[in-house]
Amino acid sequence: VGFRWSTRAKLDELGLQGTATNRDDGTVVVEACGDNGALDVLEGWLCGPQVPGAVSRVRVSRTGNEPGY
């Protein structure tokens, strides 16, 4: 379905650094770092109807000492 490819393209479009990686259990982990506003847009895109594939759950965890992690 191109989920990882599309997610990486969205990261680039939003000026975020990050990855979209398959896990052994079939889930995909998206890690992103950058501007909080861009991270909000990414989260909305991941939860929205435009994302390719079937997303059943999005869990967000913002960590790090600097805003935008």
Side-chain angles (χ1 to χ4, degrees):
V1 276
F3 177 81
R4 288 178 300 135
W5 181 89
S6 297
T7 302
R8 289 180 187 133
K10 192 66 167 180
L11 290 167
D12 288 343
E13 175 187 321
L14 295 172
L16 296 169
Q17 295 179 359
T19 61
T21 309
N22 283 342
R23 297 178 70 187
D24 290 339
D25 64 2
T27 59
V28 176
V29 174
V30 177
E31 295 179 319
C33 178
D35 175 76
N36 279 321
L39 291 168
D40 290 340
V41 172
L42 177 65
E43 181 181 350
W45 180 79
L46 288 168
C47 295
Q50 320 86 319
V51 70
V55 176
S56 60
R57 179 176 65 136
V58 174
R59 184 178 62 169
V60 176
S61 175
R62 295 195 185 195
T63 61
N65 295 330
E66 299 294 324
Y69 282 92

